Amino acid sequence: DGGITQSPKYLFRKEGQNVTLSCEQNLNHDAMYWYRQDPGQGLRLIYYSQIVNDFQKGDIAEGYSVSREKKESFPLTVTSAQKNPTAFYLCASSRTDEQFFGPGTRLTVL
Amino acid sequence: AQSVTQLDSHVSVSEGTPVLLRCNYSSSYSPSLFWYVQHPNKGLQLLLKYTSAATLVKGINGFEAEFKKSETSFHLTKPSAHMSDAAEYFCVVSAPGTGFQKLVFGTGTRLLVSP
């Protein structure tokens, strides 16, 4: 069954802690993306990667970091430098003009 | 620069009545346009896409959208709403990027369906 998995589904973090969100895909897609979703807003692009070992900042990259060591995996780290990290995070992948989305991770800072 | 405006933050319909979700776009290029649906606490699912072929695009679950260049619109319609259609809907335009697909999202329209 091909698709994108994200874990965990819910994540709680204390202020000052770094946390890493997992994203895995078995669709054999080259490109992968991380978005942030806040209530009443559309999705905003954090980082994207077109190929292994390469990634680029999106529109709101400050306070986040990523890696792309394998084609299937694109983890996102939310660092303590991100001032307002509570949000719903969505990972996506694409080969052509259609992006496929994972189920999301809801991060809450306590 | 590309942008999309979803004209309604909420739309309420009764089950069995037509659905109209409105979207206007702005694009310097011939755009690709998409509608995605998101059920609560879920990821996004593609409903349909327009990529410069037929202007009337049919999607999944009985939805369709018409690309009108003169009006810069891409409204989403369905003849008869079902309870399971209650969700958030996003109109999206694809911006040309340097070798990747950058999507620009509208702010979403929440569709409420009452019995």
Side-chain angles (χ1 to χ4, degrees), chain B residues 7 20 23 28 30 34-35 37 40-41 45-46 49 52 54 57-59 66 81 85-86 90 98 108 110:
Chain B
L7 299 166
L20 170 64
C23 173
S28 306
S30 180
F34 309 80
W35 276 99
V37 61
N41 292 310
Q45 180 185 18
L46 180 68
K49 62 182 178 182
S52 75
V57 182
K58 294 188 184 297
E66 186 171 8
D85 294 328
F90 292 95
T98 53
R110 184 166 298 279

Side-chain angles (χ1 to χ4, degrees), chain B residues 7 10 12 15-16 22 34 37-39 42 45-46 48 57 64 68 71 80 82 88-89 103-105 107 115:
Chain B
L7 299 166
H10 293 81
S12 295
E15 191 173 22
R22 299 182 294 164
F34 309 80
V37 61
Q38 183 182 33
H39 289 90
K42 302 289 187 185
Q45 180 185 18
L46 180 68
L48 49 81
V57 182
E64 62 181 38
K68 292 187 176 180
E71 300 176 8
S80 176
H82 191 271
E88 186 113 23
Y89 292 80
L103 300 184
V104 177
F105 287 78
T107 52

Side-chain angles (χ1 to χ4, degrees), chain A residues 9-10 33 35 37 40-43 45 48 50 59 88 90 94 96-104 106, chain B residues 32 34 36 38 41-46 49 51 88 90 94 98-108:
Chain A
K9 187 175 177 67
Y10 297 96
Y33 312 78
Y35 294 92
Q37 185 177 22
Q41 300 190 34
L43 277 64
L45 182 64
Y48 64 95
Q50 298 177 68
D59 299 320
F88 192 51
L90 288 157
S94 71
T96 57
D97 64 348
E98 178 180 342
Q99 290 190 15
F100 294 81
F101 287 82
R106 185 165 298 281
Chain B
S32 293
F34 309 80
Y36 281 85
Q38 183 182 33
N41 292 310
K42 302 289 187 185
L44 278 68
Q45 180 185 18
L46 180 68
K49 62 182 178 182
T51 54
E88 186 113 23
F90 292 95
S94 178
T98 53
F100 84 109
Q101 183 208 29
K102 180 174 182 179
L103 300 184
V104 177
F105 287 78
T107 52

Side-chain angles (χ1 to χ4, degrees), chain A residues 30-32 47-57 66-70 73-74, chain B residues 98-100:
Chain A
D30 288 316
M32 296 187 74
Y47 267 98
Y48 64 95
S49 168
Q50 298 177 68
I51 198 167
V52 174
N53 293 322
D54 183 63
F55 49 83
Q56 305 294 330
K57 293 181 179 180
V66 293
S67 63
R68 186 86 187 276
E69 297 176 1
K70 298 187 299 181
S73 179
F74 191 42
Chain B
T98 53
F100 84 109

Side-chain angles (χ1 to χ4, degrees), chain A residues 10-104:
Chain A
Y10 297 96
L11 186 57
F12 298 90
R13 189 195 94 173
K14 293 181 180 178
E15 283 193 28
Q17 285 182 338
N18 293 356
V19 290
T20 297
L21 283 58
S22 169
C23 176
E24 304 276 334
Q25 55 101 357
N26 60 5
L27 301 168
N28 200 32
H29 288 168
D30 288 316
M32 296 187 74
Y33 312 78
W34 273 106
Y35 294 92
R36 172 182 171 136
Q37 185 177 22
D38 294 283
Q41 300 190 34
L43 277 64
R44 293 182 289 168
L45 182 64
I46 304 173
Y47 267 98
Y48 64 95
S49 168
Q50 298 177 68
I51 198 167
V52 174
N53 293 322
D54 183 63
F55 49 83
Q56 305 294 330
K57 293 181 179 180
D59 299 320
I60 55 164
E62 184 176 351
Y64 300 97
S65 65
V66 293
S67 63
R68 186 86 187 276
E69 297 176 1
K70 298 187 299 181
K71 187 175 186 177
E72 306 79 35
S73 179
F74 191 42
L76 173 75
T77 297
V78 184
T79 75
S80 56
Q82 170 50 235
K83 297 305 178 188
N84 186 21
T86 294
F88 192 51
Y89 291 86
L90 288 157
C91 177
S93 70
S94 71
R95 183 188 295 122
T96 57
D97 64 348
E98 178 180 342
Q99 290 190 15
F100 294 81
F101 287 82

